Amino acid sequence: MLSLLYQEGPSTKGIFRRSGSAKTFKELKEKLDSGAEVDLARESIFVTASLFKDFLRNIPGSILSSQLCDKWVSVLDQGNNEEKIKSIQRLLEHLPRANVFLLRYIFGVLHGIEMRSEENQMNAFNLAVCIAPSLLWPPVSSTPNIESEFIKKISSLVQFLIENCCRIFGDEITSLFGEI
């Protein structure tokens, strides 16, 4: 999925914002959940993006760890950008290695898409609004007002992560997929 999103996402207007066919999404999700072989290259990239967000939403406790939710939310309250980046890097050390590995690829894809935002209309802010709710959620449910405020904060954090991903994860995230 990430490879396809890396290849097609940068040239796709509204990637992660628009959703594909709900029927196709449901059929493919059922096939993937049953372990069946699926050729996503033959499907709409919007369905693939929806499937990927769904995959992220189904990671128990979220990829950024709901247990660290308060710490993630407070990152942007830190001083300058360097302090924020160091704080993020410290938080990443508390995540399982598999999560950090996947996050590097996710932000590699998002960075590639953001670099061509003139073409696809998905700048860091727009990408963050679309993907942030799939990356982190609070450990307990709350009122709609509190949840709305939380989503705004997490979206700002994800925007910061996209804009600073090379400094956070290393410059090599721009070449994780090699020359496709």
Side-chain angles (χ1 to χ4, degrees), residues 95-110:
L95 296 176
R97 287 183 64 193
N99 291 34
V100 177
F101 186 81
L102 181 54
L103 282 165
R104 292 182 74 221
Y105 278 87
I106 292 168
F107 283 95
V109 168
L110 296 174

Side-chain angles (χ1 to χ4, degrees), residues 80-90 92 104 107 111 160-174:
N80 62 30
N81 283 357
E82 277 311 307
E83 290 171 23
K84 290 173 185 162
I85 289 168
K86 285 192 185 344
S87 183
I88 289 167
Q89 289 169 330
R90 279 192 300 275
L92 289 171
R104 292 182 74 221
F107 283 95
H111 174 75
F160 183 84
L161 285 163
I162 294 168
E163 291 169 346
N164 296 280
C165 63
C166 293
R167 291 171 63 200
I168 293 165
F169 295 102
D171 286 325
E172 66 275 6
I173 73 160
T174 62

Side-chain angles (χ1 to χ4, degrees), residues 81-143:
N81 283 357
E82 277 311 307
E83 290 171 23
K84 290 173 185 162
I85 289 168
K86 285 192 185 344
S87 183
I88 289 167
Q89 289 169 330
R90 279 192 300 275
L91 280 170
L92 289 171
E93 290 172 8
H94 293 281
L95 296 176
R97 287 183 64 193
N99 291 34
V100 177
F101 186 81
L102 181 54
L103 282 165
R104 292 182 74 221
Y105 278 87
I106 292 168
F107 283 95
V109 168
L110 296 174
H111 174 75
I113 293 168
E114 195 257 347
M115 294 305 292
R116 292 191 32 205
S117 61
E118 294 260 335
E119 179 180 350
N120 59 41
Q121 298 180 342
M122 295 303 288
N123 59 25
F125 173 82
N126 291 338
L127 284 166
V129 166
C130 295
I131 201 105
S134 302
L135 297 178
L136 181 66
W137 50 86
V140 292
S141 60
S142 56
T143 67

